[in-house]
Structures are given as C-alpha cells and as structure tokens.
Amino acid sequence: MLTEKTMEKLRILAESAKYDVSCSSSGTVRSGKKGMVGSTVGGVGICHSFADDGRCISLLKVMLTNYCMYDCAYCINRRTNDIPRATLSVSELEEITMEFYRRNYIEGLFLSSGVVRNPDYTMERLTAIVRDLRTVHRFNGYIHLKTIPGASRELLQEAGRYADRMSINIEIPKEETLKALAPEKDHKSIFLPMSQIQQGVLENKEDRRKFRHAPRFVPAGQSTQMIVGATKETDRDILMMSNAMYQQPTMRRVYYSGYVSVNTYDPRLPVLKQPPLVRENRLYQADWLMRFYHFNVDEIVDDAHTHLDLDVDPKLGWALRHPEAFPVDINKDDYERILRVPGIGVKSAFLIVNSRRFNRLTSYHLKKMGVVMKKAKYFITCGELTSAFSQPIIGINELHPERLRPLLLSKAQQKRAAAEQQLALDFGEENP
C-alpha cells in the first residue's frame, strides 16, 4: 500500500528526474514467461515512446534520491541548490514500481540517482533494486539504469545482468568545459564505465554463441546525453563526439538536451529565456543523417560551417552547399545518390531502386512512395514535364542555391528571417 509520504517523495523525485532525456525505445524483447510479471514488447518500452503499431508506451522515470555530493553548475540537483529533497528506500522504490505496473500505469522503469556518500554506495543500492525486481518480484518488464560515474567494475557487471539498458551521460563534449562546470567530474570517469559495459556486452555475445541459455548482459546496449547551449561548444564539436560514440559497437543512441536555465544565479551559465529547441532538433536530424543516410560529420558541419543552419534541415543545407551533386536521375543513379536528395527518406529510396526495375518512374510514382516533391523536385530528373505540362522541371543549378533557398523556407521562417534583417532601434527614455 502506497502511503501519502511515499507519494510525496515520488512527486519530488520524478520532478528531479525530468531533465534527463536519454531514454527511448528499449530495443530488446522480453516475452512473457510463466511465473514472471510483465513483458517487454520488441523495440519499445520507454516512457512516452511509441510502438510500431502506434501504441504509446509508459515508463516510470524516477530518481532514487535527489541528494547529491556533486555541485555541477547545470544540474537542478546540485548540492548548493535549495530545493525539496527526498530519498526512497530500496523497498519503497520496488513497491512503487510493482504497484504502478499492477495498476497498468507503466510497462517499465527508468532509474537514476544523485550520488551520495560515494559512487559505489549509490550504485550498490541501484543494483539491489534491479536485482530484487527481477529475482524477488519476478518483474520481466523493461529496465533502463543510469550508471554512476566512478562505480566499481564488479557492481557494473552485476547490474548489467538485470538491466536491459545502461547509460551514463557525457553532458559536455569538451573536458575543459566539463571541468569548468562540474569540477568533480572528468571524461575518464565517464568513458571508463562505458568501456567496461561494452566489454561485458561483447563477452556475453560470445558466451551466448557457445551456451544458448547464458544470461543476457545489457541486451539493449548503451545510450548517453549531451547538453546543448550551456557552453560555447559548436554543433561540430557535439557531432564529432557523437560520431566517436557511434564507433562503439554497443552505443545505440546519443541524446541532445536543450539547456534549461535552472540555475540562473551561476555566472558560468548563459541566461536563456527558453531552451534552444530548434538547435536541439537540428542536431537530432544531423544524428539521423550519420546513422541512416551514410553522411560523414565533415559533410554536415565543417570548419566553414561549424553550426547547423537553423532555418533548413541539415540534409537540405548540405544540398544547397553542393549543387554540383545534382540533379540525381531517379531512374538511373544508385541508392547512395538517391538517398542524399532532400525529401527522399530511407524507405522511399529503397522503393525507388526496387520499383524502377519494372517501370520508368515519374513524379506521380514518387508521390505515391512518400517523396516530399516540394523539396525533391529541385534536385532530381525523371524525364518528364512539371504538373503544369508547360515547362521542364527547374532545378538547383538553374535557380542557383541563393535563389532556391527562400522558396524552400516556410512562411514562418521567411518572416523570422525578414525580422532579423530589419534594423532594431532602441529609443531610451529621455531625461526630463
């Protein structure tokens, strides 16, 4: 039975956990088993994520405690902040998880914690929770566990046997900036547990090849998070770090969190009226290009363009900077070139390559495949006239990038760009 005191603790700790965005689809399958409670649907299991069938999946996202020995400038839970504090016992958090599952509130758990006493003490309590949920309460749902920097290898190995995913946040891509905002942290304490978890996953894969029923170790891999806008790092710095992370075989996702001004009194931090959500969105789009569209970091951002264009998506931005790569012949060019056309996604490119074997494709076919022709028509040829049947399709090389760009901006973007170009005059009050 959940008491009023326990629910008040839960309210405080859930509020403290909301700034960590590094949770997503689980990427693992835990089918229903006799004697076990719950299950994990393949590819889903995270708070407010969506299954392939459109179903919304809920996850209890909570901290064990929001007390913390660290004083990170960007964190709401830093030790010098005067905020409501709470700590759940191991048994209380287990009871909340199972009670919420039985009431059909959740299908999994995202568990993190502030660091109290020392990293091993905190990690030991987190490990005890996931171990008891699996072995005592027979909970078979999804569990995402945040790793405590500096925790021992033995505790990480034990926790990995019960958690589906483990993650540790990089927060800031450059160590000198991280040290300036979080003096007690460094990249070594972050990357070491990452490599230890990675080694455990790879060893477990070898064991499962030899022994079919060997227990799994962090089957959904790792994830991490970086804060956007709290420091002067460029988008290129952030994406270079992301690219390095994706070279690791167990890293599934890098998340980007727009900086929220929760500690406005700290002079080391910028004063922002609202989080840089557009920049955050562009970084996710660039991340998608690296993972699924075969783009290199240097193609998306380079020394001349260290920040992403906020008015257009990164793929369109690259296309406008490289008109020599177009037009692309839909009926002749290979999959890699077609994939780089703005308005054509992975599924559409696959359909194009397979469909053109049987018929010559036109803009009608491309629309049916889901191609965004408002963008794509300036970068492709398909041997036909426009829908007006009066003139050939005019592409990027005929219009030139500087003339094409305004045509691809939405009306809201055009108004914002025009407002930024206007001269703003500040007329102060005259002295009497």
Side-chain angles (χ1 to χ4, degrees), residues 354-366:
N354 283 276
S355 300
R356 69 188 184 184
R357 295 182 299 168
F358 308 103
N359 192 19
R360 185 171 180 81
L361 301 181
T362 67
S363 60
Y364 172 80
H365 299 116
L366 297 181

Side-chain angles (χ1 to χ4, degrees), residues 47-63:
C47 181
H48 300 111
S49 183
F50 291 89
D52 291 338
D53 59 1
R55 186 165 58 93
C56 183
I57 306 300
S58 58
L59 175 75
L60 174 60
K61 186 176 182 180
V62 67
M63 299 182 73

Side-chain angles (χ1 to χ4, degrees), residues 149 168-179 182 184-194 226 233 241 245:
I168 181 170
N169 292 344
I170 297 173
E171 306 292 18
I172 309 295
K174 288 188 175 181
E175 182 160 12
E176 58 269 24
T177 315
L178 176 66
K179 293 291 288 184
E184 298 94 343
K185 292 183 179 180
D186 56 45
H187 276 174
K188 181 180 178 181
S189 65
I190 296 171
F191 294 143
L192 181 60
M194 278 186 179
M226 283 186 280
E233 274 84 0
M241 175 61 76
M245 290 293 100

Side-chain angles (χ1 to χ4, degrees), residues 191-218:
F191 294 143
L192 181 60
M194 278 186 179
S195 63
Q196 292 172 343
I197 295 171
Q198 175 184 309
Q199 184 178 355
V201 172
L202 297 178
E203 290 175 353
N204 181 252
K205 287 183 178 179
E206 291 296 324
D207 292 341
R208 288 182 65 82
R209 289 192 183 100
K210 299 176 182 178
F211 309 102
R212 181 180 177 183
H213 297 289
R216 297 186 298 177
F217 183 89
V218 195

Side-chain angles (χ1 to χ4, degrees), residues 166-396:
M166 296 179 69
S167 61
I168 181 170
N169 292 344
I170 297 173
E171 306 292 18
I172 309 295
K174 288 188 175 181
E175 182 160 12
E176 58 269 24
T177 315
L178 176 66
K179 293 291 288 184
L181 298 183
E184 298 94 343
K185 292 183 179 180
D186 56 45
H187 276 174
K188 181 180 178 181
S189 65
I190 296 171
F191 294 143
L192 181 60
M194 278 186 179
S195 63
Q196 292 172 343
I197 295 171
Q198 175 184 309
Q199 184 178 355
V201 172
L202 297 178
E203 290 175 353
N204 181 252
K205 287 183 178 179
E206 291 296 324
D207 292 341
R208 288 182 65 82
R209 289 192 183 100
K210 299 176 182 178
F211 309 102
R212 181 180 177 183
H213 297 289
R216 297 186 298 177
F217 183 89
V218 195
Q222 301 185 74
S223 63
T224 190
Q225 171 182 282
M226 283 186 280
I227 300 173
V228 178
T231 57
K232 294 182 179 180
E233 274 84 0
T234 64
D235 293 338
R236 189 171 191 269
D237 296 328
I238 295 172
L239 291 174
M240 289 292 288
M241 175 61 76
S242 298
N243 185 60
M245 290 293 100
Y246 284 132
Q247 303 307 310
Q248 309 301 319
T250 60
M251 182 59 63
R252 300 293 178 84
R253 284 295 304 273
V254 176
Y255 292 87
Y256 310 95
S257 176
Y259 169 66
V260 180
S261 297
V262 292
N263 301 319
T264 55
Y265 59 86
D266 197 317
R268 294 172 293 176
L269 296 169
V271 179
L272 301 178
K273 293 183 179 180
Q274 61 181 15
L277 299 180
V278 177
R279 184 183 176 192
E280 176 187 309
N281 183 51
R282 295 300 181 215
L283 284 168
Y284 275 114
Q285 291 173 330
D287 184 278
W288 205 260
L289 292 183
M290 292 191 299
R291 294 167 60 209
F292 300 107
Y293 287 79
H294 309 162
F295 276 78
N296 296 321
V297 178
D298 292 332
E299 294 178 299
I300 303 171
V301 282
D302 52 31
D303 294 334
H305 305 87
T306 57
H307 283 281
L308 297 169
D309 191 331
L310 299 184
D311 289 329
V312 298
D313 66 80
K315 189 178 181 183
L316 179 56
W318 174 85
L320 292 173
R321 294 197 306 271
H322 296 86
E324 71 279 359
F326 303 99
V328 172
D329 191 330
I330 292 297
N331 289 291
K332 293 181 180 179
D333 285 322
D334 59 24
Y335 173 80
E336 295 292 335
R337 287 200 66 193
I338 293 174
L339 197 60
R340 296 198 166 212
V341 175
I344 296 182
V346 175
K347 291 183 179 179
S348 299
F350 180 78
L351 288 172
I352 289 169
V353 172
N354 283 276
S355 300
R356 69 188 184 184
R357 295 182 299 168
F358 308 103
N359 192 19
R360 185 171 180 81
L361 301 181
T362 67
S363 60
Y364 172 80
H365 299 116
L366 297 181
K367 289 179 182 179
K368 290 292 185 180
M369 294 177 187
V371 174
V372 182
M373 290 301 295
K374 290 182 180 179
K375 289 183 180 179
K377 66 182 181 180
Y378 299 107
F379 302 94
I380 63 172
T381 59
C382 49
E384 63 167 5
L385 301 178
T386 62
S387 58
F389 294 100
S390 59
Q391 58 183 356
I393 295 177
I394 300 176
I396 184 173

Side-chain angles (χ1 to χ4, degrees), residues 12-200:
I12 295 172
L13 294 171
E15 179 71 16
S16 295
K18 72 179 183 180
Y19 296 102
D20 195 328
V21 302
S22 58
C23 55
S24 72
S25 174
S26 66
T28 186
V29 176
R30 285 183 179 272
S31 56
K33 294 181 181 179
K34 186 177 181 180
M36 300 291 283
V37 178
S39 64
T40 297
V41 181
V44 296
I46 294 296
C47 181
H48 300 111
S49 183
F50 291 89
D52 291 338
D53 59 1
R55 186 165 58 93
C56 183
I57 306 300
S58 58
L59 175 75
L60 174 60
K61 186 176 182 180
V62 67
M63 299 182 73
L64 178 63
T65 178
N66 63 348
Y67 287 95
C68 191
M69 59 186 286
Y70 296 146
D71 197 30
C72 305
Y74 48 79
C75 184
I76 186 65
N77 301 309
R78 60 188 296 185
R79 67 170 181 264
T80 54
N81 268 0
D82 183 17
I83 61 171
R85 304 280 183 173
T87 299
L88 289 169
S89 68
V90 171
S91 59
E92 281 179 323
L93 205 148
E94 293 170 6
E95 181 185 5
I96 290 171
T97 303
M98 296 308 300
E99 186 68 21
F100 276 29
Y101 179 80
R102 292 189 183 99
R103 295 180 184 183
N104 201 30
Y105 294 165
I106 61 169
E107 295 185 64
L109 173 68
F110 180 97
L111 179 60
S112 60
S113 178
V115 182
V116 291
R117 296 193 185 181
N118 56 66
D120 276 352
Y121 174 80
T122 307
M123 192 68 203
E124 187 174 5
R125 299 183 72 201
L126 294 176
T127 302
I129 292 170
V130 295
R131 181 183 62 240
D132 289 351
L133 284 174
R134 297 293 193 210
T135 60
V136 177
H137 300 282
R138 313 299 290 170
F139 181 68
N140 201 42
Y142 176 80
I143 296 179
H144 183 155
L145 183 65
K146 299 296 294 187
T147 305
I148 303 299
S152 68
R153 183 189 183 96
E154 291 75 19
L155 287 171
L156 296 180
Q157 291 293 319
E158 183 179 5
R161 293 199 293 269
Y162 305 107
D164 290 286
R165 173 170 288 182
M166 296 179 69
S167 61
I168 181 170
N169 292 344
I170 297 173
E171 306 292 18
I172 309 295
K174 288 188 175 181
E175 182 160 12
E176 58 269 24
T177 315
L178 176 66
K179 293 291 288 184
L181 298 183
E184 298 94 343
K185 292 183 179 180
D186 56 45
H187 276 174
K188 181 180 178 181
S189 65
I190 296 171
F191 294 143
L192 181 60
M194 278 186 179
S195 63
Q196 292 172 343
I197 295 171
Q198 175 184 309
Q199 184 178 355

Side-chain angles (χ1 to χ4, degrees), residues 244 419 421:
Q421 292 174 1

